[in-house]
Amino acid sequence: MKTNKKFKTIWFYIFNTLISLIFIAPLIWMVASSFKEETKIFEHLNSYKALLPLNFTLDNYKMVFQRIPMTKYIFNSVFYVSLISFFGAIVNSICGYGLAKLKFKGSSFILIIIIALTIVPFESIMLPLYLIVNKMKLINSMYALIIPFIGNCFSIYMFRQFFLDFPDALLEAAYIDGADKFTTFLKVVVPNSIPVFTTVFILDFVSHWGDFLWPILVTTNDNIKNVQLGIQSFFTMAPVYYGQIMAALVVTTLPMILIFLFFQKYYIKGIASTGLKG
């Protein structure tokens, strides 16, 4: 009986490993190609050798930073995406807290509207949003990249779901001690809600790190372009080197991996405490 159970466990791990390899194979190929000479990238595509960094070289990474101002593009992306995530966490948490704990007339209707807006694709509001930003004379500025995306319906809904289970006894204790609603939120709710704040911050950061369509619409100034537009320039500069493109993609992927490694504990807690309740 024990042998049969052990045999099933082994097959379970082998099956999951094979499935995982299928999904991460493109990522492994990208990383391996970034360390190859240009003429070797498309060799052995039908072989496992395509996933190995044969003829190892760092020239692609050197050229990425020499052909375009990659450091500046990365800084721009980190700067504006961090601001979106930071101010988004503040604004959306206040909205979510209000919907969860402050009962007022029309709150249910507002919640329905917020849930409905989460399924509206960005492409459908892109044109009116561009006209508004243009009217406000924000084109070619960081404001055009940051302000339209601070408010996020999905983040509000996540905060609301988390705050529904926040103990009322803690809030009442703060009120008895003389704290007003804002002080209670700032000094009682926020310190005890780190997982959901971290989760929303990560989701916003990841979501906007890959922004391409909106930045290419509102920015022509090279000083405020993000890293995705920087990578796109490799396709327009002749000659096109795929090894350098792979190296640039690896560089832009690293911040996402680091964020998940450092904050995965809070991320898992936040998802577990907000995503399963209706």
Side-chain angles (χ1 to χ4, degrees), residues 194-203 206 255-273:
I194 298 302
V196 70
F197 275 90
T198 306
T199 302
V200 170
F201 184 91
I202 291 174
L203 290 177
V206 172
M256 298 297 94
I257 295 174
L258 292 176
I259 283 180
F260 273 108
L261 287 178
F262 282 113
F263 298 110
Q264 61 175 325
K265 180 177 69 175
Y266 298 109
Y267 179 74
I268 293 170
K269 280 185 182 177
I271 290 292
S273 57

Side-chain angles (χ1 to χ4, degrees), residues 22-245:
I22 292 173
F23 282 101
I24 66 172
L27 182 64
I28 297 173
W29 183 73
M30 178 185 78
V31 175
S33 300
S34 69
F35 293 109
K36 290 181 180 179
E37 296 174 5
E38 186 67 22
T39 56
K40 304 293 183 183
I41 291 176
F42 295 103
E43 283 188 353
H44 312 298
L45 284 182
N46 295 325
S47 165
Y48 71 92
K49 292 181 180 178
L51 304 178
L52 300 176
L54 303 175
N55 307 103
F56 185 90
T57 176
L58 292 175
D59 289 346
N60 293 325
Y61 286 90
K62 294 176 185 174
M63 292 307 297
V64 163
F65 289 90
Q66 289 180 9
R67 293 186 77 186
I68 64 170
M70 191 68 175
T71 305
K72 186 170 188 58
Y73 292 150
I74 292 175
F75 174 80
N76 288 342
S77 283
V78 171
F79 178 73
Y80 92 82
V81 174
S82 297
L83 287 182
I84 290 175
S85 305
F86 177 74
F87 287 112
I90 295 173
V91 172
N92 297 320
S93 64
I94 293 173
C95 295
Y97 181 75
L99 289 170
K101 293 298 184 184
L102 306 179
K103 302 303 177 189
F104 55 92
K105 193 175 181 180
S107 60
S108 298
F109 178 73
I110 293 174
L111 178 62
I112 292 171
I113 296 295
I114 288 174
I115 294 173
L117 288 175
T118 59
I119 62 173
V120 175
F122 173 71
E123 288 76 8
S124 65
I125 63 169
M126 187 173 61
L127 180 57
L129 185 60
Y130 177 83
L131 294 175
I132 292 171
V133 170
N134 186 46
K135 193 76 174 178
M136 295 172 69
K137 301 186 185 306
L138 297 180
I139 299 296
N140 259 331
S141 72
M142 277 288 182
Y143 298 114
L145 296 172
I146 297 170
I147 293 175
F149 303 103
I150 290 177
N152 186 306
C153 292
F154 183 70
S155 299
I156 293 173
Y157 182 70
M158 283 197 70
F159 277 117
R160 187 252 183 194
Q161 294 302 95
F162 182 86
F163 291 141
L164 280 178
D165 278 350
F166 195 88
D168 290 333
L170 283 177
L171 304 179
E172 290 166 2
Y175 295 148
I176 291 171
D177 287 343
D180 57 23
K181 286 184 170 53
F182 181 74
T183 304
T184 302
F185 176 77
L186 192 63
K187 295 188 174 180
V188 177
V189 176
V190 173
N192 290 287
S193 306
I194 298 302
V196 70
F197 275 90
T198 306
T199 302
V200 170
F201 184 91
I202 291 174
L203 290 177
D204 270 353
F205 198 96
V206 172
S207 171
H208 291 289
W209 182 260
D211 281 352
F212 177 77
L213 188 57
W214 181 251
I216 203 171
L217 274 178
V218 298
T219 60
T220 55
N221 186 346
D222 209 46
N223 289 324
I224 61 171
K225 283 183 178 178
N226 68 352
V227 71
Q228 307 302 332
L229 295 184
I231 292 175
Q232 187 260 348
S233 64
F234 279 104
F235 292 94
T236 58
M237 288 190 302
V240 175
Y241 292 112
Y242 289 97
Q244 294 172 19
I245 293 171

